[in-house]
C-alpha cells in the first residue's frame, strides 16, 4: 500500500508531493498515522545540502511527530493500536520521519500524549526537548545529573546562561535547568519574549541586542560563570558565551551548530570545553529511553510546557515554512503541518 509524502528527491533539489510505500513495523516498532509534524531548522540545512550524513535519496524529512498508533510490532509492550503518541523521527531513515502519512518508530523512545496536550502541541516538543536534554545532561554535554527524581543541582549560587531563551531549544533548556535545580537562570531574548521565558523559569532576562550585553551579564555572574548553553549558536553568540565563561574556573559552552572556536578565541582554563551538541534520541539511547519514559508525566503535570504552535497547512506548506525558518522570521513558536490535509 502507498501513502502521500513530501519527497526530497536529491541533495538541494526542490521538494515534491509524491507517494511511497507505507512501512511495516519491525518487531520492536510502532506504525503510526501521522497527525501533526513540526518544522525545524535542520530541515532547511538538509535542503541546502548541509547535513553530510544524509546520503540516501529520495528522502523524506520531518523529525517532530505526533500521531495515532496503527499497528504494533510483535515484541512491543505498553502500546496498543489507537494510542496517541509523540516522538522524535530519524532523518537518516525515511521510514522513520514525519512528512508523510505513516511512519514507524522504535517503541522504547516514544511517549503517550498526555490528555492535556493536542497533537500539534505534542509535535512541537521532541527535537527541541531532546537537544536541550542532551546538552544539559548527557556525557557529550554538560554532564549534569538529569532530574528524574527531582533537582540534582544543589549549590545556592548555581548559575547557568541560556543564550536564545525564546528559541524552542532555549525554551526547553530554561525549563530543564529549573527542574535540575539551578537557582539563577540567565537568558537573552528580544524584549517581546521577556514574560514567556520568565514564566517557565528564567530569573534574569537580558535584551539580546543591548550594546552592553556582555557587561550586564558579567555584573550578575561576577566572572564565575561555568555553564553556558547557546541555543542560537551563531558565530557571534558562541564567542559571547565563551568570553563570559570564567577565566579561573573550568567551564562548559554547549552549542547546537558547528563549533566556531578559533585560535583567536580568548584562553580559558585548560579543562574548559566548547562542545557541539547533537540532539538525537536515537544516538543517545542511554539517556533518551528514560527521558521518554518521564516526559509524558512532566507534560501532564505542567512541570514542562510546550511552546506556542501555528498550523500552516498540509505537506505542501512545508517548503514555504522552511524558507521562513531560513530567513529568521520565526521566533518563539513551532510551525506545524498536517499530512492528511
Amino acid at each position: 500500500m502507498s501513502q502521500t509524502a513530501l519527497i526530497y528527491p536529491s541533495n538541494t533539489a526542490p521538494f515534491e508531493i509524491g507517494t511511497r510505500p507505507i512501512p511495516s513495523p519491525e518487531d520492536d516498532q510502532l506504525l503510526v498515522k501521522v497527525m501533526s509534524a513540526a518544522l525545524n531548522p535542520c530541515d532547511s540545512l538538509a535542503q541546502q545540502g548541509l547535513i553530510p550524513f544524509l546520503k540516501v535519496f529520495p528522502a523524506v524529512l520531518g523529525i517532530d511527530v505526533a500521531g495515532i498508533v496503527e499497528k504494533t510490532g510483535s515484541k512491543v509492550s505498553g502500546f496498543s493500536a489507537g494510542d496517541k503518541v509523540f516522538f522524535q523521527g530519524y532523518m537518516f531513515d525515511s521510514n522513520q520521519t514525519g512528512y508523510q502519512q505513516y511512519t514507524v518508530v522504535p517503541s522504547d523512545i516514544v511517549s503517550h500524549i498526555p490528555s492535556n496536550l493536542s497533537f500539534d502541541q505534542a509535535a512541537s516538543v521532541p527535537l527541541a526537548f531532546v537537544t536541550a536534554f542532551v546538552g544539559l545532561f548527557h556525557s557529550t554535554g554538560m554532564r549534569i545529573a538529569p532530574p528524574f527524581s527531582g533537582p540534582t543541582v544543589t549549590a545556592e549560587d548555581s548559575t547557568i546562561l541560556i543564550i536564545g531563551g525564546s528559541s524552542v531549544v532555549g525554551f526547553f533548556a530554561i525549563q530543564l535547568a529549573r527542574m535540575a535545580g539551578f537557582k539563577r537562570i540567565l537568558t537573552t531574548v528580544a524584549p517581546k519574549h521577556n514574560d514567556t521565558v520568565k514564566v517557565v523559569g528564567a530569573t534574569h532576562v537580558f535584551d539580546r541586542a543591548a550594546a552592553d550585553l556582555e557587561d550586564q551579564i558579567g555584573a550578575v555572574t561576577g566572572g564565575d560563570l561555568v555553564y553556558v548553553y547557546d541555543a542560537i549558536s551563531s558565530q557571534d553568540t558562541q564567542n559571547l558565551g565563551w568570553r563570559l565563561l570564567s577565566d579561573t574556573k573550568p567551564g562548559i559552552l554547549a552549542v547546537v551548530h558547528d563549533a566556531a572556536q578559533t585560535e583567536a578565541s580568548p584562553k580559558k582554563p585548560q579543562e574548559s570545553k566548547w562542545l557541539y551538541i547533537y540532539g538525537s534520541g536515537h544516538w543517545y539511547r542511554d539517556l533518551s529511553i528514560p527521558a521518554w519514559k518521564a516526559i509524558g508525566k512532566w507534560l501532564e503535570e505542567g512541570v514542562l510546557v510546550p511552546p506556542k504552535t501555528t498550523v500552516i497547512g498540509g505537506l505542501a506548506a512545508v517548503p514555504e515554512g522552511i524558507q521562513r525558518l531560513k530567513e529568521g522570521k520565526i521566533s518563539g513558536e513551532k510551525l506545524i503541518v498536517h499530512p492528511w490535509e
Side-chain angles (χ1 to χ4, degrees), residues 135-165:
L136 291 170
F137 307 124
H138 195 254
S139 59
T140 58
M142 294 180 176
R143 296 175 177 262
I144 299 162
F148 292 128
S149 301
T152 58
V153 177
T154 56
E156 286 301 319
D157 62 347
S158 57
T159 302
I160 187 170
L161 168 64
I162 296 163
I163 298 174

Side-chain angles (χ1 to χ4, degrees), residues 80-145:
S80 303
D83 286 354
K84 298 178 180 180
V85 295
F86 68 112
F87 50 92
Q88 184 182 19
Y90 189 51
M91 183 179 289
F92 308 113
D93 179 356
S94 291
N95 285 336
Q96 298 190 51
T97 49
Y99 296 155
Q100 54 192 335
Q101 293 175 320
Y102 292 95
T103 190
V104 294
V105 60
S107 61
D108 58 353
I109 48 175
V110 60
S111 177
H112 291 92
I113 298 176
S115 59
N116 58 322
L117 261 64
S118 66
F119 287 117
D120 294 343
Q121 290 174 308
S124 74
V125 173
L127 175 62
F129 166 78
V130 171
T131 302
F133 209 88
V134 168
L136 291 170
F137 307 124
H138 195 254
S139 59
T140 58
M142 294 180 176
R143 296 175 177 262
I144 299 162

Side-chain angles (χ1 to χ4, degrees), residues 114-247:
S115 59
N116 58 322
L117 261 64
S118 66
F119 287 117
D120 294 343
Q121 290 174 308
S124 74
V125 173
L127 175 62
F129 166 78
V130 171
T131 302
F133 209 88
V134 168
L136 291 170
F137 307 124
H138 195 254
S139 59
T140 58
M142 294 180 176
R143 296 175 177 262
I144 299 162
F148 292 128
S149 301
T152 58
V153 177
T154 56
E156 286 301 319
D157 62 347
S158 57
T159 302
I160 187 170
L161 168 64
I162 296 163
I163 298 174
S166 62
S167 69
V168 183
V169 172
F171 181 76
F172 280 112
I174 290 171
Q175 296 183 74
L176 290 168
R178 185 202 71 232
M179 292 168 61
F182 278 96
K183 305 304 185 294
R184 298 194 300 181
I185 303 172
L186 288 57
T187 193
T188 62
V189 297
K192 66 181 180 180
H193 296 300
N194 284 3
D195 290 343
T196 300
V197 296
K198 287 178 181 178
V199 165
V200 296
T203 60
H204 298 70
V205 182
F206 303 90
D207 182 348
R208 68 183 186 190
D212 60 343
L213 176 61
E214 190 170 339
D215 291 339
Q216 288 185 39
I217 296 173
V220 174
T221 64
D224 284 337
L225 185 63
V226 295
Y227 291 115
V228 179
Y229 193 114
D230 184 0
I232 303 300
S233 298
S234 67
Q235 186 169 355
D236 287 345
T237 60
Q238 291 190 43
N239 285 324
L240 170 66
W242 185 250
R243 290 195 304 269
L244 285 166
L245 284 177
S246 173
D247 290 328

